[in-house]
Structures are given as C-alpha cells and as structure tokens.
Amino acid sequence: MEKEEFDIRIKKAIRMTAPGTALRSAIDMILAGQLGALICIGDTDKVLAAGNDGFPLNISFNSHRLFELAKMDGAIVVDEDVANILRANFHLNPDPSLPTSETGMRHKTADRMSMQTDALVISISERRQVVSIYIGGKSIQLRSHTDLINEANQMLLALQTGRQALDSALSRLSQLEFDNYVTLEDVATVFARFQTLRTIGDVLQEVLNQMGAQGHVLRIQFRELTHGIHEQYKLAIRDYAQDASDENAERVLSEFNVLSSKEMTSPQKIAEILGYDSLKETSVMMPLGLRTLSRVSVVDGEMADKIVKEYGSLAELMLNLQNDVDRLEDMGISNPSILVDSLYRMWGKNL
C-alpha cells in the first residue's frame, strides 16, 4: 500500500474511532469490561469469504450491542458505514502464508485480515488492554483519552511559546525593515520561527483529530494561536524570495517543510531555497513590503501587489510616501492618508 493511501485511510480510521463516536464508546466499554475483541469494518464480501460459522445478524449498530457481542468468541463483522452489525462469533481463516510480525493469535489474525482484505480491522487485547488498528498490513495503537489530552495540553503550551517567539521576531523584523537594515540572518531567524510553529501545529492537529469531539475547546485555542500564520508566512517569503510569485512561495514552503531543524537555521540554506547563490549571513536584503502592507486596513492583497510593483520595495515606498500622496490616489487607494499614517505608526515615527 502506498504511503499516501495509507495516510488517507488511517485518518479516516482515527475519525471513526475518535472519542465521542459510537464505535469508540463500544471500544471503551470493552476495555472497561476487561474483554478482548476482533472487529472487521468494511469490505464485507471478502471478510465473510475469509471465515465461517458465527451468527448472521444484520442489525443496526450501537455501542451497547457491540459490547455485548464482544463477550462471545470470534470476530464481529460491521459494514463500512458502521451502520449495521452483520455477523458475530465469526471464525476468521486468513491466509496463514501472509507474513506477520505479530505474536498473539488475535493480532496475527487482524494483521493478516488487513492484508487479505481492504477492511479496517480493530484488535482489542484482553490481557494488555491495548487497541490496535490494522490497515493494509500496517498498524497503529489507539491512544487513551487521558494520554491524548495530556499531550494536547503540552503541545498547546509549546504552541503558545512558539507564537510569542514568532511575534517577537516579526516585530523586530518590521523595525529593521523600516530602518532598511535587514540581513539574511534576520530573515532566516524569522523563517525558522515560522517553521517551528508550523511543525508544532501539525503535531497538535493530529492529536486533536484523534480526540474527536472531546477536543473542541482545545481546537478553538489552536485556531486562535495559528490564525493568519500561513498567510503571513507566505507574504514573508514573497518579500524576500528572488521570485515573488505566489506559486514560488508555495514551492519554498514545500522545501522548508522537508528541511531538518539544523538546515532550517542555516542562512545559506535558506538563501539557496529563496533563489540566491552567494549571500552571506550579513548580506543586506530589501523586502518588497507585502507583509507590512497586509497589516494596513485600506490595502487588500491585490492593491498590495500593485503598490509593490509600482515602487519596487518597502524602502522606496517609504522614501516617496509623504510627498507622493497623489501617486497613491492615482493607483486607486481611496484613503492614501490612512496608508501613510499607518506605515509611519508601524515605524514609530511622526509625520
């Protein structure tokens, strides 16, 4: 199975077994009852062809029914939509020649069934109280709600710290941009902060996905802490990349995502991805000003691009700004005085 296909299927499985779902409620009841279980979900024709005996049911699914049926030996067969329980006490006979590294009989059967069919197979260990999800011969362990909420809180704290560090770095960068003295090292530092926050956010998002409905409050906090980050990251890249197009910014982001932590803190590596061959850490860089202009209420994205195309850089814009208001009006800015005032306020200067 290709990694991309596995990732899609495992995300679906995590949603199906997340806290708050009927399936997860049944799993938790089985664990609390110190029972074991083997549950096959989907690809029912192949699943039924790989076994025999058992009780044909075809009854609607609910967590209590699944829990009661888990008290019997054998597997439980459920349809793909988790709407109906089709069989219980079903004896599975997957191909014994399929290779598996599992040791227990239940887990061996689950692993082989996931290889032989496209079913999602859930194995609940009675002795170890572990829930394993098998897809295509690969498995993950289902984590407890306590473990998930502990990690989510830790990651949320890391996200808060990372956001504060990023905001501080961006504030310093803005001042350097207005003073026209930004170095490659300054730019690399900011991008490393962005990437750290993005990495933490990706991990936290995965944990929240596993928490399901029970992660609602934490999900709100996550959205608040990451609001606008992706857009600001792209604008910062466009400000300093050799090619300022939106498409190139996406390419740069993709390349940043595969860098190691050490590479992400290398100014030379950052410069290479931005499209420069021979910059030093102390090389001065000239921002276009897109990120700065995005913070002005009277300037939308299209107008920011137009201003940058007209002036060429933030430094050139600031040089001509105060004595060139008519030029801004001619470009279609309805309130150029607000733009001028806003930029000077950001700079900390009086008109």
Side-chain angles (χ1 to χ4, degrees), residues 44 55-61 65 69 77-79 83-88:
T44 53
F55 302 114
L57 297 173
N58 200 22
I59 56 174
S60 60
F61 178 96
R65 282 178 175 166
L69 293 170
V77 182
V78 180
D79 67 2
N84 297 287
I85 301 172
L86 306 179
R87 291 284 178 93

Side-chain angles (χ1 to χ4, degrees), residues 149-200:
I149 198 165
N150 285 340
E151 182 175 359
N153 282 325
Q154 289 175 3
M155 297 307 298
L156 195 63
L157 181 60
L159 194 68
Q160 290 172 335
T161 302
R163 181 61 193 260
Q164 290 170 358
L166 174 62
D167 288 344
S168 177
L170 286 175
S171 178
R172 179 176 181 276
L173 180 65
S174 293
Q175 189 58 53
L176 291 172
E177 287 176 341
F178 282 117
D179 292 337
N180 198 25
Y181 194 70
V182 179
T183 66
L184 172 60
E185 185 176 17
D186 298 320
V187 173
T189 297
V190 168
F191 287 159
R193 298 290 189 196
F194 267 119
Q195 199 61 32
T196 297
L197 197 68
R198 184 167 181 161
T199 301
I200 296 170

Side-chain angles (χ1 to χ4, degrees), residues 73-325:
D73 293 331
I76 302 168
V77 182
V78 180
D79 67 2
E80 186 175 1
D81 297 326
V82 195
N84 297 287
I85 301 172
L86 306 179
R87 291 284 178 93
N89 197 25
F90 190 62
H91 184 65
L92 293 169
N93 298 296
D95 184 351
S97 67
L98 292 171
T100 176
S101 58
E102 297 291 353
T103 54
M105 185 57 67
R106 181 180 285 122
H107 291 287
K108 281 184 177 181
T109 301
D111 194 13
R112 286 176 173 143
M113 284 299 297
S114 75
M115 287 185 264
Q116 188 168 320
T117 73
D118 288 329
L120 162 65
V121 188
I122 301 173
S123 177
I124 304 174
S125 172
E126 181 179 353
R127 181 173 58 85
R128 293 189 297 130
Q129 293 285 281
V130 172
V131 181
S132 300
I133 296 176
Y134 292 85
I135 294 175
K138 299 180 180 180
S139 70
I140 63 166
Q141 282 191 4
L142 201 61
R143 301 171 62 190
S144 71
H145 176 64
T146 301
D147 286 344
L148 289 172
I149 198 165
N150 285 340
E151 182 175 359
N153 282 325
Q154 289 175 3
M155 297 307 298
L156 195 63
L157 181 60
L159 194 68
Q160 290 172 335
T161 302
R163 181 61 193 260
Q164 290 170 358
L166 174 62
D167 288 344
S168 177
L170 286 175
S171 178
R172 179 176 181 276
L173 180 65
S174 293
Q175 189 58 53
L176 291 172
E177 287 176 341
F178 282 117
D179 292 337
N180 198 25
Y181 194 70
V182 179
T183 66
L184 172 60
E185 185 176 17
D186 298 320
V187 173
T189 297
V190 168
F191 287 159
R193 298 290 189 196
F194 267 119
Q195 199 61 32
T196 297
L197 197 68
R198 184 167 181 161
T199 301
I200 296 170
D202 287 346
V203 174
L204 179 54
Q205 182 66 70
E206 285 299 314
V207 176
L208 292 174
N209 288 342
Q210 293 179 55
M211 292 181 68
Q214 294 185 13
H216 177 67
V217 174
L218 294 175
R219 200 170 284 110
I220 292 173
Q221 293 176 279
F222 169 73
R223 284 197 292 265
E224 289 175 348
L225 285 169
T226 56
H227 178 70
I229 290 298
H230 181 71
E231 292 76 12
Q232 288 296 302
Y233 198 178
K234 281 182 62 176
L235 289 173
I237 289 171
R238 292 182 63 196
D239 266 344
Y240 291 99
Q242 184 82 296
D243 175 359
S245 69
D246 193 65
E247 293 77 16
N248 184 61
E250 288 292 351
R251 176 197 64 80
V252 171
L253 274 173
S254 297
E255 293 198 29
F256 281 172
N257 284 338
V258 298
L259 293 183
S260 66
S261 299
K262 184 176 181 180
E263 288 174 321
M264 198 65 216
T265 57
S266 167
Q268 285 71 33
K269 188 64 178 178
I270 298 303
E272 178 188 329
I273 294 175
L274 290 175
Y276 303 100
D277 295 326
S278 57
L279 291 182
K280 299 179 180 179
E281 291 184 16
T282 55
S283 297
V284 175
M285 303 190 75
M286 301 285 287
L288 296 180
L290 290 168
R291 185 181 63 86
T292 298
L293 289 168
S294 73
R295 298 160 59 195
V296 180
S297 60
V298 296
V299 179
D300 59 20
E302 185 177 340
M303 183 55 68
D305 284 333
K306 193 173 181 180
I307 292 171
V308 164
K309 185 176 181 180
E310 177 74 17
Y311 287 90
S313 69
L314 179 63
E316 192 66 25
L317 173 62
M318 296 305 296
L319 186 64
N320 294 279
L321 195 60
Q322 191 172 356
N323 301 317
D324 209 5
V325 175

